[in-house]
Each structure stands twice: as C-alpha cells, then as structure tokens.
Amino acid sequence: QVYVTETGGGSVQAGGSLTLSCEILGTTFTRYCMGWFRRVGGKEREGVARIEKDARPFYTDSVQGRFTISHDNDKNTVSLQMRDLKPEDSGMYYCQEILCSSWYSAFNNWDKGTQVFVSS
C-alpha cells in the first residue's frame, strides 16, 4: 500500500489556478497507478485525474483541458495543476493509489486531503 500526504489547497477566485502535490512516502511512485479524487460536501468521492505507470494521464470530463496530472520521479510526487478553476471545483482533494486502468481506489484508507475553495 502507498502512503501519501496532500498539500497545495487554498482559496482562489473563479478563473484562478492552484497546484496540488501528493508526496508518496516510503516507496517509489513508478510502481503504482495514482489518482486524484475530490469530495464535495457529503457526496461520494469522485475521481478527477489519474496517471498510469507509463505516465498516461486520464481525466474526468468536467476537468478535461483544465487540469493536468503529472509525476516527478526525483521528488516522488504526483501533482495536479488546476487552471481556470470554477466554483464547482471546490471540495476536499485526495490522492490515492488506484487499480490501474480504472477509477477505483486500491485501498479504502485515505489521507486527510487538501481543501480547495473557488469563489465566484
């Protein structure tokens, strides 16, 4: 299992940008498929971006063209660059190992996440 810690959240106005960072602890990123998820209010967590072992990125329709997921092998991190943010992007963002080629998390224990708030 991968252990992670998320940082980079904050408050921005609509149209602004933020970059979230997921530090992977104790192991090497390239062995895993990773995803960024968000939870809005009491709704279920949804996958917004994922990256496969070969670095291919995938995005949910609502963020396609605005979010970019990438990994930095030297820093052992997975980043989520978010631009042109919208109020509906607000939520708690989590990083998690995923089952490759899917939006399913590999485990059900989550880190604390990082909060994003986009004002209109």
Side-chain angles (χ1 to χ4, degrees):
Q1 179 180 347
V2 172
Y3 293 93
V4 302
T5 184
E6 305 99 340
T7 57
S11 295
V12 296
Q13 291 188 325
S17 301
L18 282 173
T19 297
L20 308 183
S21 181
C22 170
E23 182 181 4
I24 300 164
L25 308 172
T27 188
T28 303
F29 157 78
T30 51
R31 296 175 55 192
Y32 302 92
C33 299
M34 299 295 296
W36 278 98
F37 296 76
R38 70 183 171 201
R39 170 174 275 171
V40 180
K43 296 181 181 178
E44 204 168 310
R45 254 183 221 98
E46 62 168 345
V48 295
R50 72 178 202 259
I51 187 165
E52 300 289 332
K53 291 181 185 180
D54 60 4
R56 284 179 301 144
F58 295 87
Y59 305 94
T60 194
D61 288 347
S62 64
V63 308
Q64 181 76 45
R66 300 187 298 119
F67 288 15
T68 302
I69 188 170
S70 61
H71 63 80
D72 184 325
N73 288 343
D74 291 338
K75 296 180 180 178
N76 218 30
T77 58
V78 178
S79 296
L80 184 67
Q81 295 176 288
M82 308 185 294
R83 61 178 180 83
D84 191 22
L85 283 161
K86 304 176 180 181
E88 53 263 41
D89 293 319
S90 297
M92 189 69 80
Y93 282 71
Y94 303 87
C95 175
Q96 176 63 283
E97 180 186 354
I98 59 168
L99 300 178
C100 294
S101 302
S102 83
W103 288 103
Y104 295 106
S105 62
F107 298 95
N108 203 31
N109 55 321
W110 299 79
D111 190 52
K112 63 184 184 312
T114 187
Q115 182 75 50
V116 171
F117 178 73
V118 184
S119 59
S120 57

